[in-house]
């Protein structure tokens, strides 16, 4: 009961732009949400990614959020929906890859089709490189640690000798830049 009240108070402060309350809420519920996601999806990486996306979304939309009686239940519902969308997306990608493999598209593709696919892939890679160039050295470093090495915010903070809050903010800002730069890809 005490946690429910604490979460509600943190939620209200977060809705009003209190960054510290947001991080306190994050610390309080993160592992519980990730564990719920793992039990639901049987995929630890996907669960961590979805939980991060849930927290990023509530921070971005904090001023539009309503009062919530049970913050934990609200976030679990949000996480369930996020996991479903990510699993559907993953399923579509897997199905497309199976179709390509089954049909041997690459082997049967005309030269022109092959060149178009390669050029499209090169264009996306080029856009990603350009977007990454807009990040600071520290942002690139933390993005690499989070998404390529799979470290938690705590591990990143320890490795880079900064606070967890700073690591989270730096990654959040970097993702915002990348999202903006790659929105039409």
């Amino acid at each position: 009961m005490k946690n429910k009240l604490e979460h509600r108070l943190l939620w209200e402060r977060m809705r009003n732009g209190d960054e510290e309350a947001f991080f306190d809420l994050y610390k309080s519920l993160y592992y519980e949400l990730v564990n719920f996601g793992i039990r639901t999806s049987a995929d630890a990486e996907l669960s961590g990614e979805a939980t991060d996306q849930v927290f990023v979304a509530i921070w971005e939309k904090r001023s539009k959020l309503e009062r919530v009686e049970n913050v934990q239940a609200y976030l679990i519902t949000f996480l369930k929906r996020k996991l479903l969308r990510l699993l559907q997306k993953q399923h579509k990608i897997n199905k497309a890859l199976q179709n390509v493999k089954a049909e041997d598209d690459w082997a049967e593709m005309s030269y022109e089709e092959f060149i178009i696919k390669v050029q499209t892939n090169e264009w996306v890679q080029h856009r990603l490189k350009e977007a990454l160039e807009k990040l600071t050295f520290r942002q690139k470093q933390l993005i690499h640690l989070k998404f390529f090495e799979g470290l938690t915010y705590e591990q990143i903070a320890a490795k880079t000798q900064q606070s967890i809050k700073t690591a989270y903010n730096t990654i959040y800002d970097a993702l915002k830049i990348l999202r903006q730069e790659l929105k039409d890809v």
Side-chain angles (χ1 to χ4, degrees):
M1 192 67 167
K2 184 183 176 209
N3 274 348
K4 225 176 182 182
L5 179 60
E6 283 179 27
H7 293 155
R8 221 177 347 175
L9 293 172
L10 290 172
W11 181 266
E12 288 306 310
R13 287 178 38 211
M14 186 262 316
R15 284 180 55 216
N16 292 316
D18 185 337
E19 206 172 296
E20 189 174 322
F22 170 74
F23 284 108
D24 289 343
L25 189 63
Y26 177 86
K27 281 188 259 180
S28 177
L29 292 171
Y30 181 80
Y31 291 106
E32 189 172 332
L33 291 172
V34 169
N35 286 332
F36 172 82
I38 291 170
R39 287 191 312 270
T40 303
S41 69
D43 187 334
E45 187 177 322
L46 182 71
S47 177
E49 179 185 337
T51 302
D52 287 339
Q53 289 179 16
V54 164
F55 277 102
V56 168
I58 66 168
W59 179 251
E60 287 177 342
K61 297 175 181 176
R62 64 189 173 277
S63 62
K64 297 174 188 154
L65 294 173
E66 299 292 326
R67 282 181 182 258
V68 173
E69 286 300 313
N70 188 337
V71 175
Q72 180 181 2
Y74 176 88
L75 292 177
I76 284 174
T77 301
F78 194 159
L79 178 61
K80 272 194 261 186
R81 290 181 182 142
K82 180 63 75 178
L83 281 168
L84 280 173
R85 283 192 298 273
L86 290 173
L87 286 168
Q88 286 172 338
K89 182 178 179 182
Q90 198 174 53
H91 176 72
K92 286 179 185 175
I93 290 170
N94 289 341
K95 192 173 181 178
L97 288 174
Q98 287 172 347
N99 288 343
V100 167
K101 201 174 200 180
E103 296 172 11
D104 263 347
D105 269 353
W106 288 94
E108 296 175 17
M109 196 179 300
S110 73
Y111 179 73
E112 292 81 12
E113 290 172 318
F114 178 78
I115 293 297
I116 289 169
K117 280 192 185 256
V118 168
Q119 287 174 342
T120 302
N121 190 28
E122 288 174 354
W123 180 77
V124 170
Q125 288 177 354
H126 177 72
R127 289 293 310 273
L128 182 58
K129 280 182 184 177
E130 285 180 343
L132 287 169
E133 289 303 313
K134 303 227 174 177
L135 301 180
T136 65
F137 173 77
R138 179 64 94 182
Q139 286 173 327
K140 287 180 203 172
Q141 179 188 31
L142 269 60
I143 289 287
H144 179 79
L145 293 173
K146 178 72 178 153
F147 297 104
F148 295 97
E149 292 187 24
L151 301 182
T152 65
Y153 289 106
E154 291 79 8
Q155 292 168 325
I156 292 169
K159 191 168 186 167
T160 59
Q161 299 173 347
Q162 59 187 1
S163 72
I164 295 169
K165 207 180 275 192
T166 302
Y168 181 86
N169 282 340
T170 304
I171 291 170
Y172 173 82
D173 291 341
L175 289 174
K176 228 162 83 172
I177 292 167
L178 291 174
R179 193 177 298 119
Q180 181 64 33
E181 291 298 316
L182 298 172
K183 69 182 174 194
D184 61 339
V185 172

